[in-house]
Amino acid sequence: MHDEGDAPVAGRQLRAALSREFAGLIDMTDFPSATPDRLRESAFLARALAAKAPRRRSPPFRVAAAAVIDGADDYPV
């Protein structure tokens, strides 16, 4: 993870909330374990944010996370 001090408060709060809500639920298997942490985190956060949209309509986090589709090379949807 990168230094939290370089992000605005709202960004840190959003990162923390998405991590708390979607940790272990977002499929990251297309990122090898050797992928730098910063890239993995960026992809995870983009996917978690994408999962947040259908979540607002009430499905459980697990269902919202499963609805996310994204490829490692297509930039976040």
Side-chain angles (χ1 to χ4, degrees), residues 7-46:
V9 172
R12 291 192 305 267
Q13 290 173 336
L14 180 59
R15 181 185 300 122
L18 292 173
S19 295
R20 184 175 52 252
E21 293 173 7
F22 291 101
L25 299 176
I26 299 293
D27 181 11
M28 297 297 296
T29 57
D30 57 323
F31 281 82
S33 59
T35 303
D37 288 345
R38 194 169 199 146
L39 292 177
R40 286 181 62 85
E41 180 188 34
S42 178
F44 168 81
L45 292 172

Side-chain angles (χ1 to χ4, degrees), residues 18 21-28 44 46-56 59-70:
L18 292 173
E21 293 173 7
F22 291 101
L25 299 176
I26 299 293
D27 181 11
M28 297 297 296
F44 168 81
R47 292 172 183 191
L49 189 58
K52 189 74 171 167
R55 170 69 181 113
R56 303 240 348 147
F61 293 116
R62 176 177 32 254
V63 174
V68 174
I69 57 168
D70 186 33

